[in-house]
Amino acid sequence: MIEAGHIEALRALLGEKGLLAAAADMAAYETGARYDKGRAAFVARPASTAEVSAVVAYCVRHAIPLVPQSGNTGLVSGSTPDASGAQGVLSLDRLTGVFELDPVNRTVRAGAGLRLSDLNGRLEEHGLFFPIDLGADPRLGGMVATNTGGSRFLRYGDVRRNTLGLTVVLGDEAGTVLDLSSALRKNNTGVDWKQLFVGTSGAFGVVTECVLNLEPLPRQSATALLAPSSSEAVPALLMAMEDALGSYLSAFEGMSGNAVRAALDHVPSLRNPFGDGRVPDFVILAEVSRTNAPRAGEQPLDAVLEEVLAAIWEKDDALLADAFVGPPHETWALRHALSEGVKHRGRLIAFDLAFRRGDIMRFLDRMKAEMPERFPGVEICDFGHVGDGGVHFNLVVAKDDPRLADGAFEAALREWVISVCVEDFQGSFSAEHAIGRKNQAFYDRYTPAEIRRLSAALKAAASPGPLGAVEF
Amino acid sequence: MIEAGHIEALRALLGEKGLLAAAADMAAYETGARYDKGRAAFVARPASTAEVSAVVAYCVRHAIPLVPQSGNTGLVSGSTPDASGAQGVLSLDRLTGVFELDPVNRTVRAGAGLRLSDLNGRLEEHGLFFPIDLGADPRLGGMVATNTGGSRFLRYGDVRRNTLGLTVVLGDEAGTVLDLSSALRKNNTGVDWKQLFVGTSGAFGVVTECVLNLEPLPRQSATALLAPSSSEAVPALLMAMEDALGSYLSAFEGMSGNAVRAALDHVPSLRNPFGDGRVPDFVILAEVSRTNAPRAGEQPLDAVLEEVLAAIWEKDDALLADAFVGPPHETWALRHALSEGVKHRGRLIAFDLAFRRGDIMRFLDRMKAEMPERFPGVEICDFGHVGDGGVHFNLVVAKDDPRLADGAFEAALREWVISVCVEDFQGSFSAEHAIGRKNQAFYDRYTPAEIRRLSAALKAAASPGPLGAVEF
């Protein structure tokens, strides 16, 4: 239990709205988006960089651990307090006051507490957007801290690529403010320190403002659902479509037949283009889009997609079993329903993996081959981003499965999946969710000693105070 | 003077070809591409990561300073030894043995000693390239150490964006090898340590191998030379062309009339599309390109460019004074002749600056307005990358100008230009050349104390030995 004196001191720094200590007020900040429920000593809600600095300095001086929390949409327990009740939550949710658009530079300076949807809502009238396309609606600081990628990585890259500058409060006794908020695209005048705060879950400092690259909003798009003829056909199809479509190709998503069926079952209004109840083993969602103002001489994008698919079919009929060009809102509705659909099939055991693009289907085939014997009754409902190697490898177990009674079954399953991913395929056990308490053990195991030593030295130099849910 | 025993010991580690100590053999490694001439204690030429590790470990243990040298095409004295004769050069030029292409992943693992032209030559038959377009032909390790950008940054970004993995030897007594050579596009499992070695001139470690993102080779392109009506028209023109061309726009380069005239004078075969001797004050080179296999229904790119320029003209006749769509090889020949042309006009005092895109013309206008009074007789022959904010701000002084007799004139000129760039425009004094002895003083002045402290702590943790030409 934290001393009442600390609560009063923090309230004096942050004001009435800035410090929550009542159980009812804190509940939402203690509960993760999908997993876990912890207990907070307090929730600090600073409304400016200066207030973040003040609360961090106070807590470091008094050895009070702080867990930075942004939109709290993460899935690895990186933004919630543990069960001890000793950790304070440092919420970014009031850091929404800054929004400075520079249309010529195509950049915005924005408070870390802005939600992605709010940012893009305000950018829409300018024909611009922050091009990270996610199922969730996080706040910007957390997007930086997890380096989110999403469905259009293939064209736009991740948060790291689109972050030009940051303002950060270090976890030291002074609450030092690092102004790394350059809006330059080219700048090589020393160590690029902002990189340290991207993807490191807030352990090295608290992001309070970001300067972000913006992209023109797509004005035209077309989509298709494809049934590849085989696993081997998937990478060949990706290469053929990159070859034929060039910069028009903006998404190449993979969806297991199980996940598609789960979505169709869960959302009756979704249309199954493959016909009555028939769903292929693996489905590709391909999107082409362009941002330019339409020109008279331009071929419409659905015609481009039709022509390219016909040419691929003609050239090599071993690649495609089926292909349906359909309206983007319908196609994406199916894609976006996968997550909810899968969750409704039973108890979800989810992984966020990444592979070299050529390894995705090999990994999935191996899992399909070995799962029934190793873990019978576990259904593989993966989907993800074939174009960039990301796989949301979702496993579903019946809710009443007696093996779920203790944690041993799930732990064994996690061990096996992650060891195959990392050890046999040199894959990543956290593609775009970064590190939290949930995958700390895998970080500890798979991070080479030299990297751990360097990370610890850097943490000691930059943010020696107890900051973040994880240990680097 | 280094002890003969050290030379013998290093020769024993690296073999006869691996260690140069004769003055004639070392001369090329002691001389910069444009500036400075130092003296090397020796030139070590390891041929593998293990040999790099051995030579670094030996030198750190014996406190022998090492300056890593890659293609030695840099312009800031970052890769040559100083005049003391005490520093050894660690050349990457024999690290050419690794070349592993992964076409599905669109990546290559390559030795840091490969030249950009060699890499792209070997990739051409696969329809791929490493998309950094430069005037010089550096080796890969130096491209990482300076984070080069170049003329097609607008579409492809810099080396940082295209580096997926690195193998690095740290400057410690063990010559520790850091294997950061992941080929994953998504991977957020801790600090992304490879970022530390990008743009930091080899001071934190020696890059021996890189895993690089590759892009499909453009198959079609078209270019135009544009005369904007005014300085204010330049950013408006950039925005109009981004709006109209979307992802087709692959370069938007700026060239001062002075630089264009210098190129035309120097290379008589170049054609001046603006007509007999007439050159606008500022010229834009715009390129559109696409990588896709040509399709039947496609409008040719020169027609696209003509249509877009006509539409811009029609909509707002205050933007464009003149426009000529011409064959890419001719247009780029002019662009690539600028550097040599300018060098032939007199003594060159060159800067590599960057700005927010909206500030480029404001900076240039201010320089043009104030230069005649502050530094009479100095000709401004800038060119650069309007699309990403980079400006190669080149100044030319008559070779026989008596003010060049001592360094005071050039120093005062540099002071003024860089202070205006950094202090008045929040620009960068090193856009894509990183830090070397030549701009160390500006690094020292403009780097905040907290950043210097963090960088020094990191250097002490990662590479405590005397590595690199600069001090972080």
Side-chain angles (χ1 to χ4, degrees), chain A residues 104-106 147 186-188 193 219 242-244 247-248 291-293 354 357 385 388 428 430-431 434 453 455 461, chain B residues 104-106 147 186-188 193 219 242-244 246-248 292-293 354 357 385 388 428 430-431 434 453 455 461:
Chain A
V104 178
N105 206 40
R106 272 205 282 104
N147 190 23
K186 278 181 171 165
N187 181 23
N188 285 290
W193 278 101
R219 278 159 160 149
E242 288 194 328
D243 182 71
S247 61
Y248 281 178
T291 68
N292 58 278
R357 305 200 307 181
H385 320 290
D388 61 50
S428 172
S430 190
R453 185 189 71 76
S455 300
Chain B
V104 178
N105 206 39
R106 274 205 281 103
N147 189 23
K186 278 182 172 165
N187 181 23
N188 285 292
W193 279 100
R219 277 157 159 151
E242 288 193 329
D243 181 71
S247 62
Y248 281 177
N292 59 281
R357 306 199 308 181
H385 319 292
D388 61 50
S428 171
S430 191
R453 184 189 72 76
S455 300

Side-chain angles (χ1 to χ4, degrees), chain B residues 66-134:
Chain B
L66 278 177
V67 177
Q69 180 176 108
S70 182
N72 197 17
T73 58
L75 299 178
V76 297
S77 305
S79 62
T80 44
D82 63 21
S84 69
Q87 297 179 320
V89 168
L90 174 57
S91 172
L92 309 185
D93 61 1
R94 289 175 71 215
L95 291 170
T96 56
V98 178
F99 179 90
E100 295 166 20
L101 179 65
D102 180 341
V104 178
N105 206 39
R106 274 205 281 103
T107 54
V108 69
R109 175 189 295 264
L114 270 176
R115 282 208 189 268
L116 177 59
S117 61
D118 291 336
L119 177 71
N120 281 336
R122 293 174 75 165
L123 292 169
E124 197 174 352
E125 63 174 305
H126 305 279
L128 297 169
F129 78 131
F130 184 51
I132 309 294
D133 180 60
L134 301 173

Side-chain angles (χ1 to χ4, degrees), chain A residues 129-141:
Chain A
F129 78 131
F130 184 51
I132 309 294
D133 181 62
L134 302 173
D137 187 20
R139 299 179 195 274
L140 299 180

Side-chain angles (χ1 to χ4, degrees), chain A residues 287-370:
Chain A
E287 180 192 68
V288 293
S289 62
R290 56 191 174 207
T291 68
N292 58 278
R295 287 189 311 274
E298 244 178 6
Q299 204 179 3
L301 275 182
D302 48 2
V304 170
L305 194 51
E306 296 270 15
E307 184 182 327
V308 162
L309 290 170
I312 288 173
W313 207 312
E314 188 142 321
K315 197 170 162 194
D316 181 358
D317 60 9
L319 291 185
L320 266 177
D322 236 340
F324 298 90
V325 174
H329 70 273
E330 265 191 28
T331 316
W332 282 107
L334 176 61
R335 169 68 181 79
H336 290 314
L338 299 179
S339 190
E340 277 303 309
V342 167
K343 263 188 267 174
H344 274 78
R345 283 188 79 79
R347 165 74 167 277
L348 186 59
I349 301 175
F351 299 84
D352 169 42
L353 311 176
F355 300 89
R356 288 176 296 239
R357 305 200 307 181
D359 283 340
I360 295 174
M361 301 310 294
R362 286 182 204 133
F363 169 80
L364 292 176
D365 286 347
R366 170 138 172 223
M367 287 288 130
K368 278 184 218 166
E370 298 187 15

Side-chain angles (χ1 to χ4, degrees), chain A residues 43 65 74 123 195 289 335 369 376 413 428:
Chain A
V43 176
L123 292 169
Q195 305 296 341
S289 62
R335 169 68 181 79
L413 188 51
S428 172

